């Protein structure tokens, strides 16, 4: 049986309306614009306010991607929401499905931190290839500002909120999803996490339960930096080898937008010219699972990424987890 192909036909993104500039952060912690810009490349970030929910941002991004794809929400078979910051610990994908009116779609959350979008893309591809589903909406969305310790200068300057989306569909004509490679190293989990931190409550005798919330984001920045610069070029090289291509064939490199220095170091290791590296980090900071689809959407809407362009993409972050994929737009 001929393998079903996959094509990519719509992108969308949504950002909260409020922005925080580097200078504002100087009022919260001992930091300054010069440090943040030179060490990370970030100038501003958007932060969700009280009345902006994760589901709503994901819904807005999804709606725009569907409009570009000229697809009615009712046509969707599957919605995968990559997020680590759902409004509801049981998951937010169902709410997004409801908001979209995607009555024919099953929806679920996928949690793989900043690698979430790549993991969701790989998952969606399996459903399409196997013939189970045809029309899939992948959304990467996060509101990490809810979980940042706003008194910790080593993390609070880095993150922003947002959502991005991609519509994929089965096709017999062509196959624009060339390959992927996913990885996890749980032994390094301590380098970046957002752990449960409940308070013990004694119910009766020695029976206790744990109640409460999560500790804020904890990160060993230097370790994660080293990990990213080592693993991301490796994973991209591996996928390229799998599909018989080389870095010379790549039109665009879309990496998880964590740090401008990481983007440059990865591109240099791969011998990819700076002008092929898609970057929007200075405006949005690190938006976790949303960063790749937001960057993708902007590059498509600006006309930079054109039909048939070959894109190498990779995500990395908590888990630790990392993954890469090679695809063609269109
Ligand atoms: O999305 C998940 C993946 N996450 C990442 O990819 C993050 C990877 N890591 C990084 O991007 C970088 O490690 C950071 C941007 C987090 C930090 O940059 P760095 O160049 O690795 O800085 P550092 O941690 O080595 O700190 C250098 C100095 C330290 O001071 P001393 O010890 O040299 O006196 C820090 O205390 O900078 C200090 N510092 C700051 N100074 C002003 C740390 N944060 C700040 C700050 N403002 N916000």
């Amino acid at each position: 049986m001929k393998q079903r192909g996959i094509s990519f036909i719509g992108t969308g993104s949504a950002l909260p309306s409020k922005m925080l500039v580097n200078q504002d952060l100087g009022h919260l912690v001992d930091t300054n614009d010069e440090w943040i810009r030179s060490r990370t490349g970030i100038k501003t970030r958007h932060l969700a306010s009280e009345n902006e929910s994760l589901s709503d941002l994901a819904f807005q991004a999804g709606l725009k991607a569907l409009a570009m794809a000229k697809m009615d929400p009712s046509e969707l078979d599957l919605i995968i929401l990559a997020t680590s910051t759902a409004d509801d610990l049981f998951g937010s994908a169902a709410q997004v499905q409801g908001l979209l009116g995607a009555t024919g779609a099953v929806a679920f959350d996928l949690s793989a931190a900043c690698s979430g979008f790549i993991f969701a893309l790989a998952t969606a591809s399996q459903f399409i290839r196997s013939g189970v589903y045809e029309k899939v909406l992948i959304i990467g969305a996060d509101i990490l500002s809810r979980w940042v310790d706003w008194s910790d200068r080593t993390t609070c300057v880095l993150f922003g909120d947002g959502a991005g989306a991609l519509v994929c569909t089965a096709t017999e004509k062509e196959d624009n999803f060339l390959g992927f490679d996913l990885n996890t190293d749980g032994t390094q989990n301590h380098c970046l996490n957002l752990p449960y931190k409940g308070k013990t409550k004694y119910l009766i005798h020695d029976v206790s339960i744990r109640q409460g919330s999560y500790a804020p984001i904890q990160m060993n920045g230097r370790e994660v930096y080293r990990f990213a610069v080592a693993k991301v070029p490796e994973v991209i090289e591996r996928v390229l080898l799998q599909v018989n291509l080389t870095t010379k064939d790549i039109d665009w490199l879309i990496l998880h937008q964590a740090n401008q220095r990481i983007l440059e170091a990865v591109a240099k290791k791969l011998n990819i010219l700076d002008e092929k590296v898609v970057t929007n980090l200075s405006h949005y900071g690190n938006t976790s699972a949303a960063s790749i689809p937001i960057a993708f959407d902007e590059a498509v809407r600006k006309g930079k990424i054109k039909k048939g362009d070959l894109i190498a993409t990779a995500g990395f972050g908590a888990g630790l987890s990392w993954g890469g994929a090679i695809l063609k737009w269109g």
Side-chain angles (χ1 to χ4, degrees), residues 3-8 121-122 125-126 129 166 168 171 174-181 235-236 238-246 249-251 308-313 324-330:
Q3 199 185 33
R4 291 226 298 183
I6 299 170
S7 61
F8 301 97
L121 181 61
S125 75
Q126 301 308 293
R129 292 242 189 275
L166 178 67
C168 335
T171 164
E174 56 197 343
D175 188 11
N176 287 342
F177 191 56
L178 280 68
F180 69 88
D181 186 291
V235 79
I236 289 177
R238 235 177 5 249
V239 194
L240 283 169
L241 194 68
Q242 207 189 94
V243 300
N244 289 320
L245 292 172
T246 71
D249 300 308
I250 291 171
D251 295 303
D309 279 0
L310 192 76
I311 299 160
T313 176
I326 309 287
L327 57 98
K328 274 188 199 165
W329 171 239

Side-chain angles (χ1 to χ4, degrees), residues 30-32 35 39-40 114 153-154 157-159 192 219 221-222 224-225 256 258-259 261-262 286 316-317:
D30 180 14
T31 191
N32 55 73
W35 191 96
R39 298 285 177 129
T40 71
C114 303
R153 70 175 183 172
T154 67
V157 302
L158 304 174
F159 300 102
L192 176 52
M219 180 172 75
R222 281 181 208 182
V224 177
Y225 189 100
H256 165 49
N259 185 321
R261 285 156 56 215
I262 295 179
N286 176 345
F316 53 92

Side-chain angles (χ1 to χ4, degrees), residues 26-237:
H27 300 293
L28 292 174
V29 288
D30 180 14
T31 191
N32 55 73
D33 177 50
E34 208 283 314
W35 191 96
I36 303 170
R37 258 194 296 144
S38 61
R39 298 285 177 129
T40 71
I42 301 165
K43 294 181 189 160
T44 61
R45 71 283 292 141
H46 291 243
L47 301 182
S49 50
E50 268 181 293
N51 54 0
E52 286 169 315
S53 67
L54 188 284
S55 323
D56 202 46
L57 286 174
F59 160 64
Q60 298 294 347
L63 207 56
K64 288 180 192 164
L66 287 164
M68 187 190 285
K70 298 188 172 59
M71 189 185 287
D72 191 84
S74 63
E75 295 175 53
L76 282 172
D77 301 310
L78 171 67
I79 299 168
I80 305 179
L81 173 63
T83 186
S84 307
T85 55
D87 297 322
D88 181 333
L89 206 51
F90 291 144
S92 286
Q95 276 171 295
V96 177
Q97 183 251 14
L99 288 166
L100 283 169
T103 44
V106 64
F108 62 85
D109 289 40
L110 183 154
S111 172
C114 303
S115 310
F117 183 77
I118 301 293
F119 280 45
L121 181 61
T123 306
S125 75
Q126 301 308 293
F127 280 113
I128 297 176
R129 292 242 189 275
S130 61
V132 176
Y133 297 127
E134 241 178 57
K135 296 178 180 177
V136 183
L137 174 65
I138 308 168
I139 307 172
D142 266 309
I143 300 188
L144 277 182
S145 64
R146 288 173 176 170
W147 300 104
V148 162
D149 177 353
W150 288 98
S151 65
D152 174 10
R153 70 175 183 172
T154 67
T155 52
C156 77
V157 302
L158 304 174
F159 300 102
D161 304 330
L166 178 67
V167 178
C168 335
T169 179
T171 164
E172 300 297 335
K173 281 187 273 175
E174 56 197 343
D175 188 11
N176 287 342
F177 191 56
L178 280 68
F180 69 88
D181 186 291
L182 310 179
N183 304 268
T184 305
D185 181 2
T187 66
Q188 301 305 305
N189 181 264
H190 56 276
C191 292
L192 176 52
N193 56 22
L194 203 171
Y196 173 69
K197 198 182 176 200
K199 283 205 174 81
T200 302
K201 184 174 173 186
Y202 287 91
L203 294 181
I204 187 168
H205 307 306
D206 60 347
V207 181
S208 65
I209 50 155
R210 301 257 291 157
Q211 288 200 304
S213 60
Y214 289 81
I217 294 170
Q218 301 166 1
M219 180 172 75
N220 181 333
R222 281 181 208 182
E223 279 304 317
V224 177
Y225 189 100
R226 267 195 286 272
F227 145 78
V229 173
K231 298 295 186 187
V232 174
E234 231 175 71
V235 79
I236 289 177
E237 293 275 21

